[in-house]
Amino acid sequence: MCGKTFGVVGHPIKHSLSPRMHNAVFKKLKLDCEYKAFDLEAEELEGKMREFKRNMAGINITIPHKVSIIKYLDALSEDAELIGAVNTVKFGKKTVGYNTDGIGCVKAFEEECVKLKGKRILILGAGGAARAIGFQLAKEKTEMWISDKIVQKSVDLVSEIKRKLNAKVHATTLDEKMLTGLIENMDVLINATPIGMTPNVDETPIDTRMLKKRLVVMDIVYNPVETKLLKDARKKGCKTISGVGMFVNQGAESLRIWLGIEPPVDLMRKTVVEVLKKR
Ligand code: NAP
């Protein structure tokens, strides 16, 4: 029994899988807790945060509030400070912000027995998710190349990671010849762009010809569960990791922070996959 209320705050929020995933955990563990969705625009955030501080135990934050929420918090965890964005808030004497996206990604690799230390990794995209992943993978002592449609975005992210963590990380362009040569020498490819997400399920960020058998390919897009990139990679004989793994593990990490419990990760994954398959 915990008698606590949790939720996810974003805009839009209708399609969030978090309420189904977290409520399945509360039911399974017989915890008297509930998890709701809050569709809030930027100007509603400040007032609602005052209310949440009184009534709730914790919230997840999603697009577009992961950065703007910070001004309503008393403190940040080391990861949230490093990444500069928050996806988990715990209310208590102090309101503390955390970021579990990067650790969620690392745990998704661990579940698939992929060791990261020393690996050469290409990340496509330099947006919000790529930031969290980039900082976390730098802490795992990998060597990274980051490539975004807007080159300046990759350059900025790379120099920030280098400055804060003294990591081996490089910016690269999306030029086809350049990428083909680069991928030849990569161990891992991560798609951190929205390309391939429902309804654009026939799109992929990388030409199939660039994929090679010994590459581990992770797509952080989780709707559909198997994107075109992952289908192409599987056909080429690559090891593939769906974005469901990162999503479930970022949620599991939030539950550890809020309740100190060891969450039933397999149940969380089953719940998410079932909902996605029905959509
Ligand atoms: P975001 O902040 O918009 O970042 C996406 C970045 O990718 C943008 O900088 C975008 O550039 C860039 N991009 C677009 N097309 C590209 C291309 N062809 N090559 C290289 N870069 C390209 O979005 P986000 O929050 O990082 O989310 C990205 C995706 O990850 C979404 O589909 C989201 O649902 C998913 N996600 C999954 C998880 C999970 O737990 N599995 C967690 C977070 C996010 P422009 O801005 O110029 O378009």
Side-chain angles (χ1 to χ4, degrees), residues 91-145:
F91 298 110
K93 272 189 193 136
K94 281 189 169 181
T95 302
V96 183
Y98 301 81
N99 193 309
T100 68
D101 281 332
I103 195 75
C105 174
V106 168
K107 292 220 178 228
F109 279 110
E110 283 173 4
E111 281 178 346
E112 296 294 331
C113 302
V114 176
K115 296 235 180 330
L116 291 167
K117 192 175 171 192
K119 290 280 161 43
R120 297 158 67 92
I121 301 178
L122 171 62
I123 301 178
L124 301 173
R131 270 186 82 76
I133 294 170
F135 277 104
Q136 203 71 41
L137 292 185
K139 285 169 87 176
E140 299 292 321
K141 305 280 176 243
T142 63
E143 181 165 9
M144 280 178 288
W145 282 258

Side-chain angles (χ1 to χ4, degrees), residues 19-169:
R20 291 285 293 271
M21 179 172 78
H22 287 285
N23 284 321
V25 173
F26 298 151
K27 189 169 172 206
K28 169 82 178 171
L29 300 184
K30 297 190 171 56
L31 295 171
D32 176 27
C33 299
E34 61 173 341
Y35 190 106
K36 302 172 177 176
F38 298 90
D39 191 334
L40 298 183
E41 303 217 30
E43 55 275 21
E44 298 174 279
L45 214 48
E46 187 173 7
K48 272 289 182 186
M49 277 299 278
R50 275 197 294 271
E51 208 177 286
F52 290 156
K53 281 178 193 179
R54 289 194 300 271
N55 306 331
M56 297 185 66
I59 49 173
N60 285 127
I61 313 293
T62 187
I63 289 170
H65 304 311
K66 285 187 180 185
V67 175
S68 53
I69 196 76
I70 292 176
K71 54 182 170 292
Y72 310 118
L73 308 177
D74 300 321
L76 293 179
S77 71
E78 190 191 312
D79 283 345
E81 180 86 56
L82 205 55
I83 295 162
V86 161
N87 78 331
T88 302
V89 173
K90 184 177 183 180
F91 298 110
K93 272 189 193 136
K94 281 189 169 181
T95 302
V96 183
Y98 301 81
N99 193 309
T100 68
D101 281 332
I103 195 75
C105 174
V106 168
K107 292 220 178 228
F109 279 110
E110 283 173 4
E111 281 178 346
E112 296 294 331
C113 302
V114 176
K115 296 235 180 330
L116 291 167
K117 192 175 171 192
K119 290 280 161 43
R120 297 158 67 92
I121 301 178
L122 171 62
I123 301 178
L124 301 173
R131 270 186 82 76
I133 294 170
F135 277 104
Q136 203 71 41
L137 292 185
K139 285 169 87 176
E140 299 292 321
K141 305 280 176 243
T142 63
E143 181 165 9
M144 280 178 288
W145 282 258
I146 299 179
S147 164
D148 195 280
K149 224 163 52 179
I150 303 169
V151 180
Q152 194 55 44
K153 258 175 131 168
S154 346
V155 171
D156 290 346
L157 179 56
V158 161
S159 52
E160 199 181 329
I161 297 174
K162 260 190 187 155
R163 181 170 50 81
K164 291 184 174 170
L165 292 176
N166 194 20
K168 283 190 192 164
V169 53

Side-chain angles (χ1 to χ4, degrees), residues 63 66 101 124-130 147-150 153 174 192-195 197 205 220-222 243-244 246-247 250:
I63 289 170
K66 285 187 180 185
D101 281 332
L124 301 173
S147 164
D148 195 280
K149 224 163 52 179
I150 303 169
K153 258 175 131 168
L174 287 170
T193 78
I195 298 173
M197 192 165 90
I220 72 159
V221 169
Y222 53 83
V244 171
M246 174 172 161
F247 179 74
Q250 62 77 33

